[in-house]
Amino acid sequence: MKKIYEGKGKILFQSDKKDSLVAEFKDDLTAFNAEKKGSEEGKGALNCKISTELFTLLEKNGIKTHLIKVLSPTQQLVKKCEIIPIEVIVRNVATGSLTKRLGIKDGTVLPFVLVEFCLKDDALGDPFINDEHCLLLNLVRKKAHIKKIKKIARKINAILFEFFASKKLRLIDFKIEFGYDKKGKILLADEISPDSCRFWDKDTNEKLDKDRFRQDLGTGEGKGKVKMAYEEVLKRILS
Ligand code: 5GP
């Protein structure tokens, strides 16, 4: 298969059909704009399964996504789309860069769901941008799409927040990406997994996501600590 694109977490290949791609989930772990690198065998398969489950749940609830079907434990067949170069970040609880940028105390439950945008540009370090920057840089095809993307992002949050609450997980925040399909419709693309979300255990606030890698929370118990957390998230999703 011809490689179309390689990102930090996935490789995209052209499939045998013009309008679809094969997304291969990698075992690589990166953080801080790839300054920190690692890998855990089986992480790609876990993210592929978790993301497939969540995209299927969202589709059932009326969200249009790029997912067509699963091809193997680490591969999905997805609709080809033109990725909108905006990382859409949705937050329920302050942590991570929000606490650093604005001085809000870590763990503060936000009074409303906060949607933020980052420019998807590794060379620039994915800077935070506002609606007007999106227009200035022609990141969307129509002005109204900014509002639409925020609306879909909030709907995705509402669906996932409730779902994870029923699994005794707090959905703290997450990053999603959208794309235009061949008809110009906006689809949820990329992935939703513990690489791109923060999950805290409802009772203990234990971190069950990539912060374990970012913050070396697994040190002392050897490799596999990140994967163990991802396995726990999958177990709860399937429960
Ligand atoms: P923060 O801005 O606090 O670093 O991240 C907010 C949320 O977005 C977290 O759930 C984090 O995992 C996700 N996120 C932000 N930037 C990226 C990115 O470049 N890649 C991935 N996979 N997730 C990101």
Side-chain angles (χ1 to χ4, degrees):
M1 290 186 295
K2 186 173 166 247
K3 196 197 277 190
I4 303 276
Y5 170 82
E6 179 157 3
K8 284 171 271 187
K10 285 184 298 305
I11 308 176
L12 295 176
F13 299 97
Q14 181 59 52
S15 82
D16 50 8
K17 290 190 195 76
K18 185 168 94 355
D19 295 330
S20 52
L21 301 174
V22 174
E24 164 95 32
F25 287 69
K26 304 200 289 186
D27 286 339
D28 296 355
L29 281 155
T30 61
F32 315 119
N33 204 12
E35 273 173 36
K36 179 170 178 169
K37 289 193 178 110
S39 175
E40 278 195 30
E41 201 186 324
K43 195 266 316 184
L46 282 163
N47 275 1
C48 182
K49 180 74 181 153
I50 291 169
S51 198
T52 301
E53 290 294 323
L54 298 179
F55 273 51
T56 306
L57 170 77
L58 292 169
E59 282 275 1
K60 278 189 197 144
N61 284 278
I63 304 289
K64 300 264 173 284
T65 81
H66 73 164
L67 179 66
I68 302 172
K69 63 176 180 177
V70 173
L71 296 174
S72 80
T74 54
Q75 290 178 326
Q76 293 175 338
L77 187 67
V78 300
K79 287 177 197 154
K80 196 183 253 184
C81 58
E82 185 191 315
I83 292 289
I84 300 171
I86 301 173
E87 295 192 342
V88 180
I89 299 189
V90 183
R91 300 179 190 267
N92 297 299
V93 174
T95 193
S97 74
L98 184 68
T99 58
K100 288 194 196 102
R101 275 180 289 131
L102 303 182
I104 303 172
K105 192 170 174 280
D106 194 79
T108 306
V109 176
L110 298 174
F112 56 87
V113 176
L114 180 68
V115 179
E116 297 181 303
F117 293 147
C118 287
L119 177 64
K120 194 173 149 62
D121 187 324
D122 286 341
L124 295 175
D126 297 342
F128 280 89
I129 52 174
N130 66 21
D131 300 18
E132 292 187 6
H133 293 122
C134 293
L135 300 178
L136 189 73
L137 298 172
N138 292 314
L139 304 182
V140 283
R141 292 184 187 168
K142 280 188 194 161
K143 192 176 173 188
H145 289 175
I146 304 273
K147 216 171 160 189
K148 193 163 183 183
I149 285 170
K150 284 191 186 171
K151 197 173 165 195
I152 304 171
R154 285 180 199 282
K155 185 168 176 196
I156 290 171
N157 182 59
I159 297 163
L160 294 182
F161 189 89
E162 196 190 313
F163 175 74
F164 282 110
S166 76
K167 309 290 178 183
K168 295 202 179 314
L169 282 173
R170 299 177 71 198
L171 177 61
I172 303 300
D173 57 28
F174 60 93
K175 184 267 300 179
I176 44 179
E177 294 180 22
F178 294 93
Y180 290 111
D181 71 5
K182 61 178 177 183
K183 290 182 185 155
K185 269 207 194 138
I186 296 175
L187 301 181
L188 175 67
D190 194 47
E191 69 181 276
I192 303 182
S193 73
D195 270 6
S196 56
C197 302
R198 288 190 174 103
F199 301 113
W200 294 356
D201 179 80
K202 184 175 165 282
D203 297 323
T204 64
N205 278 332
E206 185 188 8
K207 295 177 182 184
L208 294 167
D209 55 63
K210 202 164 83 172
D211 272 352
R212 295 170 85 104
F213 174 68
R214 293 187 188 104
Q215 300 170 10
D216 280 328
L217 299 178
T219 343
E221 293 188 37
K223 278 193 135 197
K225 202 73 202 292
V226 171
K227 218 181 99 178
M228 270 167 56
Y230 288 31
E231 273 164 357
E232 179 62 27
V233 170
L234 177 59
K235 196 176 104 191
R236 294 203 200 181
I237 289 173
L238 298 176
S239 68

